[in-house]
């Protein structure tokens, strides 16, 4: 297991793949009832699902290889189904959870009292509408009525079934942590792309019902998940935030074929998902050796940390916009998670694309260490590598709200702006990336999250300034 997977390793420990992060317990809706006694059609499909399966197959350009079974469960049974995996974890899975817990505590992202598995069960039980299971090749849906919102969800999950049949999502367990996490993100981005296309086909009444229900479920989920640490919520939401704009860029550039190619051979680093210019440029990461052990260390795990994991960790204490800029020069890293005198610790070493980029990474590490509890972390340049060492201080730390989620939102914003610049302004990938990066730095957190307003004139002014910076 790679040490830098952060919370993503938790998802890897559970057999289900596709989990929607924008739902909660569905309200009662009068719609087409789901009769569990419905016979399969002549082609093997449940007749109630054929319209959704046909849409997915037509949009993705190839038919399903076989019908997909779908089970509809009431709220209690669904919650039990998505959390049952907790009892099936083997020793390797539990060791991975222990490493993730130690790493998150060492970085001050969760308190010592948090139970990662309980929190993940909370996320799964309250934050999902349906899931596709790569082991059973079946979809499980929360609710016993097919209304507009359930139809949209079925399109999303059937897309995962289509991906599995044609591109083999069941190989997730055979991939290293980072390619597996990237594959999940790409799979969610593709399913969201198909879902959005289906939503566009709804008539006005169906659209109103869909939007009202999704808003209601989103509010219910936010309330139910209020006690789940920000880093876990951010990691749960990450594939749905980063995946859609990245896959949209792939589809705009090369259609379904480009998306299929990426799903068949996902990027080896998450830096490529943060920056499409890196992906299209044929990026080759620098191999970085693991930090040298200290006397008395009990090493728990070693391996790459990752650019997205750095974004999430550093955003807890720093401005995510500055972190995104600093990570543009990321070329590779390695980490060691260990215990020292019974305290969980993590050391990360990273190198940049050149000497200046490495120095910028070291500055980010130093600023992050200085912003934390005194004596808990140290950072700086060690030879030709940036280094950060952090241990949980005596008494632990208290995460500071929603900063990690903000980092994920800024990453998604920049990707969306890249896509728009490529499609609407007809820029090349380097120009679009520069423009998007410049504009992203000008968006305040309040403006990003909806708490602040931005006039059309001010938006045009900022766009002009970004263009001047990139194209002068």
């Amino acid at each position: 297991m790679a040490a830098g997977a952060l919370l993503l390793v938790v998802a890897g420990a559970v057999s289900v793949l596709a989990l929607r992060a924008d739902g909660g317990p569905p309200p009662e809706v009068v719609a087409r009832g789901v009769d569990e006694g419905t016979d399969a059609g002549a082609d093997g499909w449940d007749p109630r699902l054929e319209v959704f399966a046909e849409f997915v197959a037509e949009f993705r350009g190839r038919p399903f290889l076989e019908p997909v079974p779908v089970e509809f469960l009431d709220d209690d049974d669904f919650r039990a189904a998505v959390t049952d995996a907790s009892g099936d974890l083997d020793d390797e899975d539990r060791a991975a959870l222990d490493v993730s817990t130690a790493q998150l505590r060492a970085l001050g992202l969760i308190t010592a009292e948090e139970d990662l598995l309980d929190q993940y069960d909370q996320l799964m039980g309250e934050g999902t509408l349906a899931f596709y299971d790569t082991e059973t090749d079946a979809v499980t849906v929360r609710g016993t009525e097919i209304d507009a919102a359930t139809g949209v969800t079925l399109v999303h999950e059937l897309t995962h079934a289509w991906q599995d049949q044609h591109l083999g999502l069941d190989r997730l367990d055979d991939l290293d942590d980072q390619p597996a996490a990237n594959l999940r993100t790409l799979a969610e981005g593709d399913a969201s792309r198909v879902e959005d296309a289906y939503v566009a086909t709804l008539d006005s009444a169906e659209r109103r019902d869909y939007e009202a229900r999704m808003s209601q479920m989103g509010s219910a989920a936010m309330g139910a998940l209020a006690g789940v640490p920000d880093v876990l919520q951010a990691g749960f939401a990450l594939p749905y935030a980063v995946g859609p704009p990245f896959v949209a860029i792939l589809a705009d550039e090369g259609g379904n074929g480009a998306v299929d190619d990426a799903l068949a051979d996902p990027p080896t680093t998450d830096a490529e998902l943060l920056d499409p210019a890196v992906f299209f440029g044929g990026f080759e990461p620098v191999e970085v050796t693991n930090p040298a052990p200290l006397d008395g260390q009990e090493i728990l795990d070693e391996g790459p940390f990752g650019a997205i994991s750095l974004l999430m960790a550093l955003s807890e204490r720093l401005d995510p916009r500055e972190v995104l800029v600093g990570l543009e020069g990321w070329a590779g890293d390695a980490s060691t998670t260990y215990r020292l005198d019974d305290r969980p610790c993590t050391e990360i070493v990273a190198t940049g694309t050149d000497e200046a980029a490495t120095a910028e990474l070291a500055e980010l590490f130093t600023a992050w260490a200085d912003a934390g509890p005194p004596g808990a972390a140290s950072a700086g340049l060690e030879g030709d590598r940036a280094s950060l060492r952090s241990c949980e201080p005596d008494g632990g730390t208290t995460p500071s709200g929603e900063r990690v989620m903000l980092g994920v939102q800024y990453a998604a914003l920049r990707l969306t702006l890249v896509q728009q610049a490529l499609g609407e302004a007809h820029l090349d990938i380097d120009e679009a990336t520069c423009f998007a990066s410049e504009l992203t730095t000008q968006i305040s957190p309040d403006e990003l999250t909806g708490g602040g307003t931005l006039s059309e004139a001010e938006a045009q002014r900022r766009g002009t300034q970004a263009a001047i910076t990139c194209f002068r």
Side-chain angles (χ1 to χ4, degrees), residues 5 17 75 83 111 154-155 176 179 186 226 229 231 239 272 298 319 328 343 348 363 371 418 421 435:
L17 165 70
D75 191 61
T83 59
T111 65
L154 283 167
V155 167
D176 290 338
L186 292 169
V231 66
E272 295 164 83
E298 176 195 352
D319 187 328
E328 290 176 359
R343 298 166 63 198
I348 305 162
E363 290 175 5
V418 169
F435 179 81

Side-chain angles (χ1 to χ4, degrees), residues 288-289 291 310 330 332-334 347-352 354-366 378-389:
V288 180
T289 57
L310 279 173
W330 181 96
D333 63 31
E347 183 173 0
I348 305 162
V349 290
T351 186
D354 55 30
E355 187 175 334
T358 303
E360 189 165 6
L361 290 171
E363 290 175 5
L364 283 176
F365 288 174
T366 300
S378 60
L381 272 174
E382 293 186 0
D384 59 353
R385 308 193 301 185
S387 175
L388 170 63
R389 181 181 292 113

Side-chain angles (χ1 to χ4, degrees), residues 111-172:
T111 65
E113 290 74 31
E114 302 290 355
D115 185 311
L116 216 58
L117 193 54
D118 284 349
Q119 296 287 7
Y120 191 72
D121 279 349
Q122 177 79 354
L123 279 167
M124 297 274 282
E126 303 298 338
T128 64
L129 289 177
F131 63 89
Y132 172 72
D133 191 327
T134 58
E135 292 187 355
T136 64
D137 302 331
V139 171
T140 303
V141 179
R142 179 181 225 140
T144 57
E145 306 287 345
I146 302 181
D147 61 355
T150 304
V152 172
T153 300
L154 283 167
V155 167
H156 185 104
E157 301 306 332
L158 287 173
T159 301
H160 287 313
W162 185 97
Q163 295 164 344
D164 194 22
Q165 290 183 15
H166 286 281
L167 299 162
L169 295 186
D170 57 353
R171 73 186 192 279
L172 277 164

Side-chain angles (χ1 to χ4, degrees), residues 11-335:
V14 183
S15 62
V16 296
L17 165 70
L19 302 167
R20 293 194 49 78
D22 54 2
E28 292 299 321
V29 177
V30 178
R32 289 175 286 159
V34 176
D35 177 6
E36 296 202 9
T38 300
D39 293 331
D43 58 359
W45 279 94
D46 182 330
R48 299 158 301 175
L49 307 177
E50 287 181 341
V51 63
F52 310 117
E54 288 171 359
F55 183 88
V56 172
E58 182 176 357
F59 189 94
R60 289 304 269 105
R62 283 184 279 176
F64 283 87
L65 301 180
E66 58 186 14
V68 179
V70 178
E71 183 178 19
F72 297 85
L73 300 177
D74 63 27
D75 191 61
D76 290 340
D77 288 342
F78 181 86
R79 185 179 286 105
V82 296
T83 59
D84 273 351
S86 302
D88 297 331
L89 300 185
D90 58 24
D91 290 344
E92 183 178 355
D93 294 330
R94 294 190 179 279
L97 287 173
D98 288 344
V99 171
S100 292
T101 299
Q103 188 178 70
L104 292 168
R105 286 174 58 187
L107 294 169
L109 295 169
I110 63 172
T111 65
E113 290 74 31
E114 302 290 355
D115 185 311
L116 216 58
L117 193 54
D118 284 349
Q119 296 287 7
Y120 191 72
D121 279 349
Q122 177 79 354
L123 279 167
M124 297 274 282
E126 303 298 338
T128 64
L129 289 177
F131 63 89
Y132 172 72
D133 191 327
T134 58
E135 292 187 355
T136 64
D137 302 331
V139 171
T140 303
V141 179
R142 179 181 225 140
T144 57
E145 306 287 345
I146 302 181
D147 61 355
T150 304
V152 172
T153 300
L154 283 167
V155 167
H156 185 104
E157 301 306 332
L158 287 173
T159 301
H160 287 313
W162 185 97
Q163 295 164 344
D164 194 22
Q165 290 183 15
H166 286 281
L167 299 162
L169 295 186
D170 57 353
R171 73 186 192 279
L172 277 164
D173 289 340
D174 299 326
L175 294 173
D176 290 338
D177 285 342
Q178 194 57 74
N182 292 343
L183 177 56
R184 289 188 185 94
T185 299
L186 292 169
E188 293 302 345
D190 182 36
S192 296
R193 177 176 68 113
V194 182
E195 171 189 327
D196 290 344
Y198 177 77
V199 170
T201 70
L202 300 178
D203 62 32
S204 57
E206 290 172 325
R207 178 72 70 90
R208 285 194 300 271
D209 289 346
Y210 163 71
E211 291 175 348
R213 189 170 179 214
M214 295 308 291
S215 176
Q216 182 178 357
M217 288 188 292
S219 297
M222 287 179 64
L225 299 176
V228 176
D230 178 43
V231 66
L232 300 186
Q233 294 197 50
F236 191 78
L238 179 92
Y240 307 93
V242 170
F246 186 89
V247 169
I249 292 169
L250 292 180
D252 289 347
E253 293 293 301
N256 280 332
V259 177
D260 291 349
D261 288 345
L263 287 167
D265 185 20
T268 58
T269 71
D270 53 12
E272 295 164 83
L273 297 186
L274 280 182
D275 188 347
V278 173
F279 174 81
F280 288 114
F283 175 69
E284 291 291 340
V286 175
E287 186 173 344
V288 180
T289 57
N290 295 315
L294 301 174
D295 290 341
Q297 281 186 2
E298 176 195 352
I299 295 178
L300 303 176
D301 199 35
E302 297 176 310
F305 194 81
I308 288 180
S309 291
L310 279 173
L311 170 66
M312 295 171 68
L314 298 178
S315 292
E316 169 67 14
R317 299 178 189 172
L318 304 178
D319 187 328
R321 294 168 293 182
E322 296 178 2
V323 177
L324 269 174
V325 171
L327 290 175
E328 290 176 359
W330 181 96
D333 63 31
S335 67

